Amino acid sequence: MSEWPDAWSDQNRRNQRGGGSASAQPEGPRVMRQVRRPDAGGHGGPRPSAPPYGGVPQQQSYGNGQGHGGYGQDGYQDGGYNTGRVYGGPGGGGPGGPGPGAPRPDWRRRIKWTAITVAAVLVVTTVGTYFWADSKLNRDVDLSKVIDRPEAGEGTNYLIVGSDSRAGMSAEDKKKLHTGSAEGQRTDSMMILHVGGNGDTLISLPRDSNVTIPTFKGSESGKVKGPLGTNKLNAAYAFDGPTLLVRTVEYNTGLHIDHYVEIGFAGFANIVDAVGGVEIDIDKGFKDKYSGADFQSGKQTLDGQQALAFVRTRHAFAASDLQRTKNQQKFLSALAHQVATPSTVLNPFKLYPTLGAGLDSLTVDKDMSLWDLASMFWAMKGVSGGDGTSMNMPISGSAGGNLVWDKAKVKTLVDELNNDRKVTVTGD
């Protein structure tokens, strides 16, 4: 008995067995005619050799060669398998590279946001540094207590004072820095810095200058006292501190002092050490047992202890205090140059210790801003660079061991400063 129904034809039976026909439709994606396996039984001929290691076997192309997405003559869509794109490569979405529709990196946008981020960080750092530094200033001097003041001229006048204050110093510090343990307070150096439009001028006032200490308002009592008569200039500071010193300078010069800046022994040495030492060229070697100075001639880098000895020495010189004031100007200018170098300004590990040491040790007037302090600093740097004038107060002689100012030259000098004209007066 036949296993097929009588009504079926031979053609039906062939179709049932999978013989297929020209009009048959593909079964689905799982039928991949291009992947053919060699006949294991040997009926299909010799087995082809394996492709090289790591390679992709070249697939036979079917149909009319329309490429990916097209249909071959047999009606099957090749899907690009015969090209190898399934493994990734140009035009594909695999690891060979981005597809033709993938967005490219927007480098302009990235650069813009990087620049904005860097700028924001710089602004925040600058603002933070400003407030940090501003908080460290000791604004302890009230110039409103100074009476009978001359009118302010053009430009800005700073009174810069180096005191022999030993505040905060241990017995070991005093011995190391050769400061002694004298009671009270005195000034080892005093300078007027005029900052103006026709060049800056730095004028040293010898501490042994013979001046008149006028009537003044006591810094503590608020009562009017004096006059105290003729005395050395540094005696005014010893009698009643910064406000009487300002009053005495203004009375004897006719210059209005706009700002006051003072630094003590320890603070000065700390600044020099914080900046890594200061290079200076010493014309002639000298020694001084009182200050501890012991220097050879030539270029050398001074640390804090050596720097303090250099600016304090006067017994080693025939000109005594006049030579000391010249050395003080020379060193302060060198210090300003050292602090302003890129190696200090652009190095936070050096800049912040230097600012901390400097600002902590400064005593300034209540109206002093960081901008004013920076202006003073850059003016000192400019003077040493040849953009201004550096001099001693003109001296005409001495009286009782004190230095007497040349009144005519002082009057001309003050007139030029008050009117912000180029200084023509010279001093020793």
Side-chain angles (χ1 to χ4, degrees):
M1 181 178 177
S2 173
E3 62 182 62
W4 305 104
D6 293 338
W8 283 31
S9 65
D10 291 341
Q11 182 66 33
N12 293 139
R13 287 192 292 269
R14 284 194 301 270
N15 290 345
Q16 180 67 21
R17 292 180 182 134
S21 69
S23 62
Q25 296 298 319
E27 293 181 38
R30 62 187 178 87
V31 178
M32 300 173 63
R33 294 183 55 196
Q34 69 271 30
V35 181
R36 297 183 176 178
R37 304 180 183 276
D39 187 351
H43 301 291
R47 184 186 300 270
S49 60
Y53 178 76
V56 177
Q58 181 66 38
Q59 304 295 332
Q60 179 180 357
S61 178
Y62 295 90
N64 58 6
Q66 292 177 0
H68 66 84
Y71 288 86
Q73 292 178 353
D74 56 4
Y76 289 95
Q77 185 177 12
D78 62 21
Y81 290 105
N82 63 323
T83 66
R85 286 196 304 276
V86 70
Y87 299 98
R104 296 183 178 182
D106 189 345
W107 290 108
R108 290 184 179 181
R109 182 181 178 85
R110 292 186 180 184
I111 292 173
K112 181 183 75 172
W113 281 108
T114 300
I116 291 175
T117 302
V118 171
V121 170
L122 288 176
V123 169
V124 171
T125 301
T126 301
V127 172
T129 299
Y130 178 89
F131 284 105
W132 169 78
D134 188 74
S135 68
K136 286 186 166 292
L137 280 177
N138 301 309
R139 297 183 173 92
D140 298 332
V141 179
D142 187 358
L143 295 183
S144 67
K145 295 181 179 180
V146 180
I147 62 174
D148 300 330
R149 309 192 69 184
E151 292 185 5
E154 297 183 27
T156 304
N157 297 316
Y158 297 83
L159 181 59
I160 305 171
V161 174
S163 75
D164 65 356
S165 172
R166 299 162 176 81
M169 295 177 64
S170 65
E172 182 179 353
D173 292 334
K174 295 175 184 178
K175 181 179 180 180
K176 176 182 176 182
L177 299 176
H178 296 269
T179 64
S181 300
E183 297 296 329
Q185 55 184 7
R186 282 158 296 277
T187 56
D188 265 19
S189 63
M190 290 162 283
M191 302 178 188
I192 295 174
L193 175 65
H194 174 81
V195 179
N198 281 308
D200 306 318
T201 305
L202 184 63
I203 309 163
S204 287
L205 310 175
R207 73 171 194 169
D208 293 338
S209 297
N210 199 62
V211 298
T212 298
I213 300 179
T215 56
F216 64 98
K217 180 185 289 187
S219 58
E220 297 295 335
S221 66
K223 297 180 180 179
V224 176
K225 301 179 179 180
L228 300 182
T230 302
N231 210 320
K232 293 181 179 181
L233 180 58
N234 70 337
Y237 183 92
F239 286 147
D240 201 51
T243 54
L244 179 54
L245 179 60
V246 171
R247 164 73 172 134
T248 302
V249 170
E250 290 187 340
Y251 179 85
N252 287 271
T253 63
L255 279 175
H256 179 91
I257 300 300
D258 299 290
H259 292 294
Y260 178 90
V261 181
E262 176 186 328
I263 186 169
F265 284 158
F268 180 81
N270 289 340
I271 292 174
V272 175
D273 286 334
V275 81
V278 175
E279 184 179 74
I280 193 168
D281 191 357
I282 299 178
D283 299 327
K284 185 179 180 180
F286 60 89
K287 292 183 179 182
D288 180 21
K289 66 178 182 180
Y290 297 100
S291 67
D294 186 2
F295 299 107
Q296 303 295 321
S297 61
K299 286 186 178 182
Q300 50 206 287
T301 300
L302 308 186
D303 61 20
Q305 177 183 348
Q306 294 169 323
L308 187 58
F310 181 80
V311 300
R312 292 184 60 219
T313 298
R314 63 188 181 102
H315 296 286
F317 311 121
S320 188
D321 209 36
L322 291 178
Q323 181 60 45
R324 174 165 69 172
T325 57
K326 292 180 180 179
N327 286 346
Q328 290 169 349
Q329 290 182 350
K330 183 175 184 177
F331 186 84
L332 289 177
S333 296
L335 175 60
H337 269 286
Q338 179 68 28
V339 173
T341 57
S343 63
T344 299
V345 176
L346 300 179
N347 183 355
F349 297 102
K350 185 178 287 187
L351 176 63
Y352 284 96
T354 301
L355 286 176
L359 297 174
D360 274 341
S361 58
L362 291 179
T363 299
V364 300
D365 64 272
K366 293 184 179 297
D367 295 325
M368 174 75 81
S369 68
L370 282 179
W371 178 261
D372 294 322
L373 196 62
S375 176
M376 181 197 80
F377 176 82
W378 286 108
M380 291 182 64
K381 180 177 180 293
V383 167
S384 66
D387 296 332
T389 302
S390 179
M391 59 183 289
N392 276 321
M393 186 63 82
I395 303 297
S396 61
S398 62
N402 297 338
L403 299 173
V404 177
W405 294 354
D406 188 319
K407 292 183 179 180
K409 287 186 176 182
V410 170
K411 185 177 183 303
T412 301
L413 173 63
V414 171
D415 184 65
E416 291 173 341
L417 295 178
N418 275 331
N419 291 282
D420 201 19
R421 296 197 301 265
K422 185 174 178 60
V423 171
T424 60
V425 177
T426 59
D428 295 332

